PDB file of all heavy atoms in Angstrom:
ATOM      1  N   MET A   1       0.830  -1.205   0.001  1.00  0.00           N
ATOM      2  CA  MET A   1      -0.002  -0.002  -0.001  1.00  0.00           C
ATOM      3  C   MET A   1       0.879   1.257  -0.007  1.00  0.00           C
ATOM      4  O   MET A   1       0.599   2.213  -0.748  1.00  0.00           O
ATOM      5  CB  MET A   1      -0.940   0.004   1.217  1.00  0.00           C
ATOM      6  CG  MET A   1      -1.741   1.286   1.348  1.00  0.00           C
ATOM      7  SD  MET A   1      -2.547   1.418   2.933  1.00  0.00           S
ATOM      8  CE  MET A   1      -2.993   3.157   2.899  1.00  0.00           C
ATOM      9  N   ARG A   6       2.449   5.943  -3.042  1.00  0.00           N
ATOM     10  CA  ARG A   6       3.549   6.827  -3.405  1.00  0.00           C
ATOM     11  C   ARG A   6       3.679   6.918  -4.931  1.00  0.00           C
ATOM     12  O   ARG A   6       3.937   7.985  -5.490  1.00  0.00           O
ATOM     13  CB  ARG A   6       4.849   6.333  -2.765  1.00  0.00           C
ATOM     14  CG  ARG A   6       6.061   7.246  -2.972  1.00  0.00           C
ATOM     15  CD  ARG A   6       5.916   8.603  -2.279  1.00  0.00           C
ATOM     16  NE  ARG A   6       5.829   8.564  -0.853  1.00  0.00           N
ATOM     17  CZ  ARG A   6       6.876   8.492  -0.030  1.00  0.00           C
ATOM     18  NH1 ARG A   6       8.097   8.394  -0.522  1.00  0.00           N
ATOM     19  NH2 ARG A   6       6.683   8.513   1.285  1.00  0.00           N
ATOM     20  N   LYS A  11      -2.147  11.147  -8.460  1.00  0.00           N
ATOM     21  CA  LYS A  11      -3.152  10.572  -9.333  1.00  0.00           C
ATOM     22  C   LYS A  11      -4.392  10.167  -8.539  1.00  0.00           C
ATOM     23  O   LYS A  11      -4.270   9.731  -7.389  1.00  0.00           O
ATOM     24  CB  LYS A  11      -2.579   9.357 -10.089  1.00  0.00           C
ATOM     25  CG  LYS A  11      -1.449   9.701 -11.054  1.00  0.00           C
ATOM     26  CD  LYS A  11      -0.932   8.472 -11.759  1.00  0.00           C
ATOM     27  CE  LYS A  11       0.164   8.799 -12.740  1.00  0.00           C
ATOM     28  NZ  LYS A  11       0.706   7.593 -13.403  1.00  0.00           N
ATOM     29  N   GLY A  25      -1.444  10.187  -2.708  1.00  0.00           N
ATOM     30  CA  GLY A  25      -0.751  10.881  -1.627  1.00  0.00           C
ATOM     31  C   GLY A  25      -1.689  11.272  -0.516  1.00  0.00           C
ATOM     32  O   GLY A  25      -1.359  11.157   0.677  1.00  0.00           O
ATOM     33  N   LEU A  54     -18.794   0.865   9.571  1.00  0.00           N
ATOM     34  CA  LEU A  54     -18.701   1.866   8.515  1.00  0.00           C
ATOM     35  C   LEU A  54     -19.082   1.237   7.170  1.00  0.00           C
ATOM     36  O   LEU A  54     -18.671   0.110   6.885  1.00  0.00           O
ATOM     37  CB  LEU A  54     -17.273   2.430   8.441  1.00  0.00           C
ATOM     38  CG  LEU A  54     -16.822   3.270   9.630  1.00  0.00           C
ATOM     39  CD1 LEU A  54     -15.318   3.471   9.599  1.00  0.00           C
ATOM     40  CD2 LEU A  54     -17.536   4.631   9.658  1.00  0.00           C
ATOM     41  N   ALA A  81     -27.013  -7.060  10.970  1.00  0.00           N
ATOM     42  CA  ALA A  81     -27.378  -8.099  11.941  1.00  0.00           C
ATOM     43  C   ALA A  81     -27.963  -7.458  13.178  1.00  0.00           C
ATOM     44  O   ALA A  81     -27.956  -6.245  13.346  1.00  0.00           O
ATOM     45  CB  ALA A  81     -26.147  -8.925  12.283  1.00  0.00           C
ATOM     46  N   ARG A  91     -17.737  -9.611  21.887  1.00  0.00           N
ATOM     47  CA  ARG A  91     -17.243 -10.432  23.015  1.00  0.00           C
ATOM     48  C   ARG A  91     -16.195 -11.422  22.555  1.00  0.00           C
ATOM     49  O   ARG A  91     -15.175 -11.624  23.213  1.00  0.00           O
ATOM     50  CB  ARG A  91     -18.428 -11.147  23.682  1.00  0.00           C
ATOM     51  CG  ARG A  91     -19.281 -10.250  24.549  1.00  0.00           C
ATOM     52  CD  ARG A  91     -20.227 -11.101  25.416  1.00  0.00           C
ATOM     53  NE  ARG A  91     -21.155 -11.895  24.612  1.00  0.00           N
ATOM     54  CZ  ARG A  91     -22.310 -11.437  24.165  1.00  0.00           C
ATOM     55  NH1 ARG A  91     -22.691 -10.191  24.409  1.00  0.00           N
ATOM     56  NH2 ARG A  91     -23.109 -12.218  23.455  1.00  0.00           N
ATOM     57  N   MET A 105     -24.692   5.572  12.988  1.00  0.00           N
ATOM     58  CA  MET A 105     -25.332   5.105  14.220  1.00  0.00           C
ATOM     59  C   MET A 105     -26.731   5.653  14.412  1.00  0.00           C
ATOM     60  O   MET A 105     -27.552   5.067  15.124  1.00  0.00           O
ATOM     61  CB  MET A 105     -24.445   5.435  15.429  1.00  0.00           C
ATOM     62  CG  MET A 105     -23.125   4.692  15.468  1.00  0.00           C
ATOM     63  SD  MET A 105     -23.265   2.898  15.237  1.00  0.00           S
ATOM     64  CE  MET A 105     -24.206   2.425  16.711  1.00  0.00           C
ATOM     65  N   ARG A 123     -11.660  15.593  13.772  1.00  0.00           N
ATOM     66  CA  ARG A 123     -11.220  16.861  13.165  1.00  0.00           C
ATOM     67  C   ARG A 123     -10.630  17.783  14.232  1.00  0.00           C
ATOM     68  O   ARG A 123      -9.640  18.489  14.003  1.00  0.00           O
ATOM     69  CB  ARG A 123     -12.395  17.568  12.461  1.00  0.00           C
ATOM     70  CG  ARG A 123     -12.933  16.812  11.259  1.00  0.00           C
ATOM     71  CD  ARG A 123     -13.920  17.676  10.461  1.00  0.00           C
ATOM     72  NE  ARG A 123     -14.576  16.919   9.434  1.00  0.00           N
ATOM     73  CZ  ARG A 123     -15.779  16.361   9.558  1.00  0.00           C
ATOM     74  NH1 ARG A 123     -16.445  16.485  10.708  1.00  0.00           N
ATOM     75  NH2 ARG A 123     -16.330  15.695   8.579  1.00  0.00           N
ATOM     76  N   LEU A 132       1.858  18.161   9.886  1.00  0.00           N
ATOM     77  CA  LEU A 132       3.225  18.302   9.367  1.00  0.00           C
ATOM     78  C   LEU A 132       3.958  16.961   9.359  1.00  0.00           C
ATOM     79  O   LEU A 132       4.624  16.590   8.384  1.00  0.00           O
ATOM     80  CB  LEU A 132       3.992  19.327  10.201  1.00  0.00           C
ATOM     81  CG  LEU A 132       3.569  20.783  10.024  1.00  0.00           C
ATOM     82  CD1 LEU A 132       4.280  21.671  11.068  1.00  0.00           C
ATOM     83  CD2 LEU A 132       3.859  21.274   8.632  1.00  0.00           C
ATOM     84  N   GLU A 197      -5.341  -2.162 -14.587  1.00  0.00           N
ATOM     85  CA  GLU A 197      -4.539  -1.073 -15.106  1.00  0.00           C
ATOM     86  C   GLU A 197      -4.849   0.229 -14.370  1.00  0.00           C
ATOM     87  O   GLU A 197      -5.843   0.326 -13.630  1.00  0.00           O
ATOM     88  CB  GLU A 197      -4.856  -0.878 -16.617  1.00  0.00           C
ATOM     89  CG  GLU A 197      -4.625  -2.121 -17.472  1.00  0.00           C
ATOM     90  CD  GLU A 197      -3.154  -2.473 -17.611  1.00  0.00           C
ATOM     91  OE1 GLU A 197      -2.301  -1.628 -17.295  1.00  0.00           O
ATOM     92  OE2 GLU A 197      -2.873  -3.607 -18.031  1.00  0.00           O
ATOM     93  N   ALA A 205     -19.265  -1.574  -3.586  1.00  0.00           N
ATOM     94  CA  ALA A 205     -20.467  -1.363  -2.791  1.00  0.00           C
ATOM     95  C   ALA A 205     -20.755  -2.539  -1.868  1.00  0.00           C
ATOM     96  O   ALA A 205     -21.647  -2.481  -1.003  1.00  0.00           O
ATOM     97  CB  ALA A 205     -21.668  -1.115  -3.701  1.00  0.00           C
ATOM     98  N   PRO A 226      -5.800   0.163  -9.714  1.00  0.00           N
ATOM     99  CA  PRO A 226      -7.082   0.830  -9.932  1.00  0.00           C
ATOM    100  C   PRO A 226      -7.404   1.910  -8.926  1.00  0.00           C
ATOM    101  O   PRO A 226      -6.886   1.939  -7.812  1.00  0.00           O
ATOM    102  CB  PRO A 226      -8.108  -0.312  -9.802  1.00  0.00           C
ATOM    103  CG  PRO A 226      -7.343  -1.569  -9.785  1.00  0.00           C
ATOM    104  CD  PRO A 226      -5.980  -1.251  -9.341  1.00  0.00           C
ATOM    105  N   GLN A 246     -20.403   8.969 -12.894  1.00  0.00           N
ATOM    106  CA  GLN A 246     -19.495  10.066 -12.584  1.00  0.00           C
ATOM    107  C   GLN A 246     -18.034   9.653 -12.650  1.00  0.00           C
ATOM    108  O   GLN A 246     -17.174  10.384 -13.140  1.00  0.00           O
ATOM    109  CB  GLN A 246     -19.806  10.633 -11.186  1.00  0.00           C
ATOM    110  CG  GLN A 246     -21.132  11.362 -11.085  1.00  0.00           C
ATOM    111  CD  GLN A 246     -21.463  11.720  -9.652  1.00  0.00           C
ATOM    112  OE1 GLN A 246     -20.876  11.186  -8.701  1.00  0.00           O
ATOM    113  NE2 GLN A 246     -22.419  12.634  -9.465  1.00  0.00           N
ATOM    114  N   ILE A 251     -14.987  -1.631 -13.685  1.00  0.00           N
ATOM    115  CA  ILE A 251     -15.088  -2.959 -13.084  1.00  0.00           C
ATOM    116  C   ILE A 251     -16.113  -2.959 -11.969  1.00  0.00           C
ATOM    117  O   ILE A 251     -16.106  -2.053 -11.100  1.00  0.00           O
ATOM    118  CB  ILE A 251     -13.729  -3.438 -12.510  1.00  0.00           C
ATOM    119  CG1 ILE A 251     -12.656  -3.464 -13.603  1.00  0.00           C
ATOM    120  CG2 ILE A 251     -13.854  -4.817 -11.862  1.00  0.00           C
ATOM    121  CD1 ILE A 251     -11.242  -3.719 -13.058  1.00  0.00           C
ATOM    122  N   TYR A 304     -16.389 -17.797  -7.803  1.00  0.00           N
ATOM    123  CA  TYR A 304     -16.793 -18.569  -6.640  1.00  0.00           C
ATOM    124  C   TYR A 304     -15.800 -18.354  -5.498  1.00  0.00           C
ATOM    125  O   TYR A 304     -14.567 -18.230  -5.718  1.00  0.00           O
ATOM    126  CB  TYR A 304     -16.856 -20.059  -6.972  1.00  0.00           C
ATOM    127  CG  TYR A 304     -16.953 -20.958  -5.782  1.00  0.00           C
ATOM    128  CD1 TYR A 304     -18.159 -21.090  -5.097  1.00  0.00           C
ATOM    129  CD2 TYR A 304     -15.842 -21.662  -5.306  1.00  0.00           C
ATOM    130  CE1 TYR A 304     -18.262 -21.907  -3.976  1.00  0.00           C
ATOM    131  CE2 TYR A 304     -15.946 -22.490  -4.190  1.00  0.00           C
ATOM    132  CZ  TYR A 304     -17.143 -22.603  -3.534  1.00  0.00           C
ATOM    133  OH  TYR A 304     -17.244 -23.418  -2.418  1.00  0.00           O
ATOM    134  N   ASP A 394     -19.686 -27.349  -0.309  1.00  0.00           N
ATOM    135  CA  ASP A 394     -20.413 -27.223  -1.564  1.00  0.00           C
ATOM    136  C   ASP A 394     -20.199 -28.463  -2.411  1.00  0.00           C
ATOM    137  O   ASP A 394     -19.109 -29.041  -2.462  1.00  0.00           O
ATOM    138  CB  ASP A 394     -19.926 -25.991  -2.341  1.00  0.00           C
ATOM    139  CG  ASP A 394     -20.415 -24.703  -1.708  1.00  0.00           C
ATOM    140  OD1 ASP A 394     -21.556 -24.682  -1.235  1.00  0.00           O
ATOM    141  OD2 ASP A 394     -19.665 -23.717  -1.706  1.00  0.00           O
ATOM    142  N   GLU A 463     -45.198 -13.012  -4.972  1.00  0.00           N
ATOM    143  CA  GLU A 463     -46.365 -13.180  -5.861  1.00  0.00           C
ATOM    144  C   GLU A 463     -45.993 -14.077  -7.047  1.00  0.00           C
ATOM    145  O   GLU A 463     -44.980 -13.855  -7.718  1.00  0.00           O
ATOM    146  CB  GLU A 463     -46.797 -11.791  -6.382  1.00  0.00           C
ATOM    147  CG  GLU A 463     -48.173 -11.778  -7.030  1.00  0.00           C
ATOM    148  CD  GLU A 463     -49.285 -12.024  -6.005  1.00  0.00           C
ATOM    149  OE1 GLU A 463     -49.259 -11.426  -4.938  1.00  0.00           O
ATOM    150  OE2 GLU A 463     -50.162 -12.854  -6.327  1.00  0.00           O
ATOM    151  N   LEU A 480     -38.574 -34.224 -13.122  1.00  0.00           N
ATOM    152  CA  LEU A 480     -38.024 -34.321 -11.768  1.00  0.00           C
ATOM    153  C   LEU A 480     -38.613 -35.530 -11.061  1.00  0.00           C
ATOM    154  O   LEU A 480     -39.807 -35.832 -11.223  1.00  0.00           O
ATOM    155  CB  LEU A 480     -38.349 -33.052 -10.961  1.00  0.00           C
ATOM    156  CG  LEU A 480     -37.246 -31.990 -10.885  1.00  0.00           C
ATOM    157  CD1 LEU A 480     -36.986 -31.397 -12.263  1.00  0.00           C
ATOM    158  CD2 LEU A 480     -37.605 -30.898  -9.883  1.00  0.00           C
TER     159      LEU A 480
END
Side-chain angles (χ1 to χ4, degrees):
M1 175 192 166
R6 185 66 64 82
K11 294 180 179 178
L54 292 166
R91 285 192 298 274
M105 293 310 296
R123 295 190 188 97
L132 290 172
E197 303 291 345
Q246 290 172 345
I251 300 171
Y304 167 76
D394 287 322
E463 194 68 46
L480 263 66

